[in-house]
């Protein structure tokens, strides 16, 4: 899935789209100082910062570039990501491959690969001390959303994946109070791959910061009919017609009254 990355691989990096949204024409005209100051500020925006501001990517934190540059942290990812070297250069705003020319289709493939690579790196980073700290801030700000369960009283949730392998399932939100998972409210967030957060993150977060673990809910919903609680047997499925032994005998007696009298 391409997000329309406004980056060039044949030389200089273009200005990210989100910078265009932040700077209006009037602000540009009224800005003081050297004429190139606005361009300089735009050029300072990294790919990682830009990616995390895209709509639907609010769950992501910004992975430190030092972490991405350490080959040990990327072990095994080259086999999972096509165009690995080009994707890594795009993430790090590197120009080591800018002398090569790419057509539009290749640009699209590299952009998709960069998203996949960053997501897999992100899943590892958020298990580190620095990554957990960033995600803790998001949790405290309820950036992952709140539990939709009534008796959880708006408990803040954490992002979680149901698989560590990409392209298996989308991201969910985990409620540490009722310990269940739900779909994110935003359809854009709901399209993000769950492997970019992994199955370990929320549970490691709660182990690392036990003070944020909430008490389990004390209230549960009780079904009632006319004010009376339903007996457990009320929810049992009735036997199919003719499945019980006595009912079959009774049916035969009704069909053949003489046979019933002989038995008596």
């Amino acid at each position: 899935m391409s997000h329309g990355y406004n980056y060039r691989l044949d030389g200089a990096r273009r200005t990210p789209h989100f910078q265009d949204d932040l700077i209006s024409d009037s602000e540009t005209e009224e800005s003081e100082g050297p004429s190139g100051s606005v361009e300089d500020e735009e050029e300072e925006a990294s790919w990682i910062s830009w990616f995390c501001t895209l709509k639907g990517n609010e769950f992501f934190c910004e992975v430190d570039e030092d972490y991405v540059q350490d080959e040990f942290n990327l072990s095994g990812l080259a086999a999972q990501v096509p165009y690995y070297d080009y994707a890594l250069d795009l993430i790090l705003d590197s120009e080591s491959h800018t002398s090569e020319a790419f057509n539009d289709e290749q640009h699209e493939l590299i952009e998709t690969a960069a998203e996949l690579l960053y997501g897999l790196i992100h899943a590892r980073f958020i298990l580190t001390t620095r990554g957990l700290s960033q995600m803790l801030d998001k949790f405290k700000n309820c950036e992952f959303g709140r539990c939709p369960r009534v008796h959880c009283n708006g408990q803040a949730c954490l992002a979680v994946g149901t698989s560590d392998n990409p392209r298996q399932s989308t991201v969910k939100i985990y409620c540490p109070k009722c310990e269940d998972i739900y779909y994110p409210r935003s359809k854009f967030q709901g399209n993000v791959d769950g492997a970019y957060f992994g199955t370990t993150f929320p549970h490691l977060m709660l182990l690392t910061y036990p003070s944020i673990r909430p008490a389990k809910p004390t209230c549960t919903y009780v079904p009632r009919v006319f004010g009376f609680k339903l007996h457990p047997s009320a929810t049992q499925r009735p036997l199919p017609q003719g499945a019980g032994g006595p009912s079959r005998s009774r049916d035969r007696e009704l069909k053949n009254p003489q046979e019933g009298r002989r038995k008596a």
Side-chain angles (χ1 to χ4, degrees), residues 74-133:
L74 312 184
S75 177
L77 295 183
Q80 301 183 54
V81 181
Y83 299 97
Y84 173 83
D85 291 331
Y86 300 107
L88 184 59
D89 286 344
L90 182 58
I91 292 173
L92 294 173
D93 302 308
S94 174
E95 299 183 0
S96 59
H97 293 94
T98 55
S99 60
E100 302 183 34
F102 299 95
N103 57 35
D104 292 341
E105 183 178 357
Q106 290 172 324
H107 274 280
E108 186 81 11
L109 292 173
I110 293 172
E111 290 167 358
T112 303
E115 178 183 347
L116 172 61
L117 179 57
Y118 183 79
L120 296 177
I121 295 172
H122 181 269
R124 298 182 178 186
F125 177 72
I126 60 177
L127 303 182
T128 66
T129 302
R130 172 62 178 158
L132 285 170
S133 177

Side-chain angles (χ1 to χ4, degrees), residues 56-70:
N57 288 355
E58 294 84 0
F59 287 180
F60 287 93
C61 69
E62 293 190 19
V63 179
D64 297 337
E65 289 195 5
D66 292 342
Y67 184 89
V68 180
Q69 292 170 347
D70 189 339

Side-chain angles (χ1 to χ4, degrees), residues 115-229:
E115 178 183 347
L116 172 61
L117 179 57
Y118 183 79
L120 296 177
I121 295 172
H122 181 269
R124 298 182 178 186
F125 177 72
I126 60 177
L127 303 182
T128 66
T129 302
R130 172 62 178 158
L132 285 170
S133 177
Q134 289 193 42
M135 298 298 267
L136 177 62
D137 292 337
K138 286 181 170 288
F139 171 75
K140 290 180 177 179
N141 293 329
C142 297
E143 294 185 31
F144 302 113
R146 297 181 181 273
C147 180
R149 185 175 180 271
V150 171
H151 292 298
C152 284
N153 299 315
Q155 170 63 45
C157 293
L158 291 162
V160 67
T162 55
S163 174
D164 292 315
N165 299 318
R167 304 185 183 92
Q168 297 296 317
S169 62
T170 56
V171 68
K172 308 298 186 297
I173 57 174
Y174 169 79
C175 174
K177 194 166 189 176
C178 65
E179 298 183 337
D180 207 346
I181 60 174
Y182 305 90
Y183 288 102
R185 295 188 63 180
S186 168
K187 64 178 181 179
F188 297 100
Q189 295 169 344
N191 289 329
V192 175
D193 199 314
Y196 298 165
F197 299 87
T199 59
T200 300
F201 159 65
H203 315 296
L204 181 61
M205 167 78 81
L206 295 171
L207 290 173
T208 305
Y209 304 102
S211 62
I212 68 172
R213 184 186 294 273
K216 292 188 177 181
T218 56
C219 298
T220 56
Y221 175 73
V222 179
R224 295 176 183 270
V225 173
F226 298 119
F228 296 97
K229 295 182 182 180

